[in-house]
């Protein structure tokens, strides 16, 4: 934890960088720093500075093990936020620093810097660094010739990542498809009639093309002590989203990326390459699933399941030890780009979606809190443990996202104390990071 002097330095630096201030002190043209959503009654606080900011992907760890600090990216570099005071300070003053995630055990933030060049960042050499949040000391961990890293394991000894050989940009005329305001390519394509497709459909076209290319790929781990890289799986499937269990240092999950109705999306594997297995199998045409994540105790795998696509929506769970399946139904307007689970695993959150997305929800642009409930007429004593246990998600709307452009994914995350949900939004124009009290 921080010493008293270190904490005073943190708060002083944060104030100099534009820390939290009362409403009325906000410069003209900048988003409010603290307000109550008039449609939900919930308090929202802007965590990013006036220069803007972005949060990590929904399953990537953003917090110190003690739960006192959160990390985010900004145009100025990597920023730390005190979750109690909302004060900020720059941790890494380098706009080239690509924030990765925080460590599970130590007060460490990992980031990478890609070599300059004209190709995609994943095709260029990159170097990985670790920085201590209290002292600011930085050390070099490893360097790879190509690829990207997705996670650090539970005891902070290994990275897991993927690399593709001969990959092409998802948007062919864009050399760096990730270098965009919305964190993804500005997808564009035309339909059979020659007319431009909307963003969601254009993204589907480009995803299909990349999936069909059958590019050789590797899933690898990197030893954080030696920097040694070791391949644990090779395939021509589109490997993506590698994640480590938060409690088992040897357990990895990853995805077969592509159009969800064409792939067997979720897989598990051990760090020695053993135990490769799919974690969900299709039982109907057009059944889709994905955006998977671990529960905080590492026992459950949760994911978005649709039976079939765009019609019936579930937050589905798999008990990794027993194989028990638990599906929790969500309504069409409650479907979300990403779901997440609270630290005590009693509630879930969703970040909504616009009408062009898979649910085609007419009123789906909300940050939502979910409380699982048993089916009203369910007779649990008669349930067969080998069958799916269905439940229902009661929803509470927290944030009106009607002004948000969903090309930027909000990526909801609970704070470690479970009292707030953090999300990214462009509801006021620029990209910012916010929290809402629950």
């Amino acid at each position: 934890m921080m010493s008293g002097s270190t904490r005073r330095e943190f708060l002083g630096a944060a104030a100099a960088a534009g820390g939290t201030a009362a409403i009325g002190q906000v410069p003209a043209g900048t988003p409010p720093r603290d307000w109550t959503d008039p449609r939900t009654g919930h308090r929202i606080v802007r965590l990013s500075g006036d220069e803007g900011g972005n949060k990590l992907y929904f399953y990537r760890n953003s917090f110190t093990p003690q739960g006192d600090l959160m990390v985010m990216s900004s145009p100025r570099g990597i920023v730390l936020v005190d979750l109690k005071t909302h004060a900020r300070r720059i941790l890494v003053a380098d706009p080239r620093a690509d924030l990765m995630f925080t460590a599970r055990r130590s007060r460490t933030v990992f980031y990478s810097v890609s070599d300059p060049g004209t190709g995609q960042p994943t095709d260029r050499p990159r170097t990985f660094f670790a920085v201590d949040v209290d002292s600011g000391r930085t050390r070099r961990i490893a360097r790879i010739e190509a690829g990207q890293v997705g996670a650090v394991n539970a005891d902070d000894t290994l990275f897991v990542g993927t690399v593709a050989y001969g990959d092409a940009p998802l948007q062919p005329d864009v050399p760096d498809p990730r270098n965009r305001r919305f964190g993804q390519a500005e997808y564009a394509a035309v339909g059979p009639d020659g007319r431009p497709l909307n963003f969601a459909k254009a993204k589907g076209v480009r995803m299909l093309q990349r999936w069909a290319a059958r590019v050789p790929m590797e899933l690898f781990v990197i030893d954080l002590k030696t920097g040694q890289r070791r391949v644990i799986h090779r395939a021509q499937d589109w490997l993506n989203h590698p994640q480590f269990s938060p409690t088992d240092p040897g357990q990895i999950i990853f995805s077969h990326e592509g159009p969800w109705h064409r792939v067997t999306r979720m897989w598990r594997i051990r760090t020695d390459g053993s135990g490769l297995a799919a974690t969900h199998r299709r039982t109907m045409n057009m059944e889709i699933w994905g955006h998977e994540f671990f529960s905080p105790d590492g026992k459950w795998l949760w994911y978005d399941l649709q039976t079939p696509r765009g019609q019936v929506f579930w937050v589905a769970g798999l008990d990794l030890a027993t194989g028990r399946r638990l599906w929790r139904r969500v309504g069409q307007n409650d479907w979300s780009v990403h779901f997440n689970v609270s630290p005590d695993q009693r509630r879930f959150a969703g970040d909504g979606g616009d009408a062009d997305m898979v649910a085609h929800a007419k009123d789906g642009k909300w940050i939502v809190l979910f409380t699982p409930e048993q089916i009203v007429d369910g007779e649990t004593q008669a349930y067969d443990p080998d069958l799916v246990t269905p439940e229902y998600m009661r929803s509470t709307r927290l944030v009106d996202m009607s002004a948000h452009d969903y090309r930027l994914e909000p990526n909801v995350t609970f704070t470690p104390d479970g009292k707030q949900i953090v999300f990214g939004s462009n509801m006021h124009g620029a990209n910012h990071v916010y929290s809402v009290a629950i």
Side-chain angles (χ1 to χ4, degrees), residues 113 115 125-128 140-145 222 227 229:
V113 176
D115 285 8
R126 64 174 58 188
T127 306
F128 300 103
R140 181 184 181 276
I141 295 176
R143 179 176 171 83
I144 59 175
E145 292 305 308
I222 296 175
R229 176 184 176 277

Side-chain angles (χ1 to χ4, degrees), residues 14 27 62 97-99 109 120 155 186 200 228 259 298 303-304 309 345 392 425:
S62 303
D98 184 8
L99 175 62
V109 173
Q120 300 182 73
D155 60 7
E186 298 281 8
Q228 180 182 3
Y303 51 102
D304 171 4
R309 171 181 169 170
Q345 304 184 66
Y392 171 73
S425 179

Side-chain angles (χ1 to χ4, degrees), residues 10-20 33 46-51 72 79-82 85-90:
F10 181 99
L11 295 174
T20 304
R33 299 188 182 187
R46 173 163 59 90
L47 302 179
S48 50
D50 292 345
E51 72 278 7
M72 70 174 72
V79 176
L80 282 173
V81 181
D82 185 307
T85 67
H86 302 147
R88 296 177 295 274
R89 70 173 169 92
I90 297 290

Side-chain angles (χ1 to χ4, degrees), residues 141-142 158-159 220-230:
I141 295 176
L158 293 174
F159 283 160
F220 61 83
V221 293
I222 296 175
D223 188 304
L224 269 63
K225 288 185 178 180
T226 66
Q228 180 182 3
R229 176 184 176 277
R230 175 169 50 87

Side-chain angles (χ1 to χ4, degrees), residues 61-66 69 71 80 91 99-111 129-134 137-139 141 152 156 159 224:
N61 192 32
S62 303
F63 307 101
T64 52
Q66 295 77 15
L69 301 177
V71 66
L80 282 173
L91 177 65
L99 175 62
M100 295 163 59
F101 35 73
T102 56
R104 292 288 181 180
R105 290 189 174 184
S106 63
R107 294 173 66 80
T108 302
V109 173
F110 298 104
Y111 68 95
F129 299 92
V131 55
D132 181 84
V133 300
D134 297 317
R137 287 191 295 268
T138 301
R139 59 185 174 89
I141 295 176
V152 65
D156 297 341
F159 283 160
L224 269 63

Side-chain angles (χ1 to χ4, degrees), residues 7 21 43 46 134 141 145 163 262 268 324 354 385 391 402 436:
R7 185 174 180 83
R43 182 191 178 204
R46 173 163 59 90
D134 297 317
I141 295 176
E145 292 305 308
V163 61
R262 292 175 178 257
R268 62 194 295 184
R324 180 190 174 204
D354 66 27
E391 291 187 349
S402 58
V436 56

Side-chain angles (χ1 to χ4, degrees), residues 208-252:
L208 176 60
Q209 291 173 341
R210 168 60 181 86
W211 168 77
R214 304 294 292 169
V215 174
M217 293 197 68
E218 294 173 347
L219 182 72
F220 61 83
V221 293
I222 296 175
D223 188 304
L224 269 63
K225 288 185 178 180
T226 66
Q228 180 182 3
R229 176 184 176 277
R230 175 169 50 87
V231 177
I232 62 172
H233 179 59
R234 291 183 172 89
Q236 287 186 310
D237 300 291
W238 184 359
L239 309 180
N240 202 3
H241 294 287
Q243 302 171 54
F244 270 112
S245 163
T247 54
D248 181 349
Q251 183 63 65
I252 295 168

Side-chain angles (χ1 to χ4, degrees), residues 338-379:
H338 299 111
F339 298 97
N340 221 321
V341 63
S342 63
D344 63 8
Q345 304 184 66
R346 294 181 179 178
R347 292 182 289 188
F348 288 75
D351 50 21
D354 66 27
D356 285 336
M357 292 177 166
V358 66
H360 299 293
K362 295 181 179 180
D363 187 23
K365 299 178 74 170
W366 300 88
I367 301 296
V368 183
L369 181 70
F370 296 106
T371 303
E373 296 180 351
Q374 291 184 0
I375 300 297
V376 173
D377 293 327
E379 188 180 346

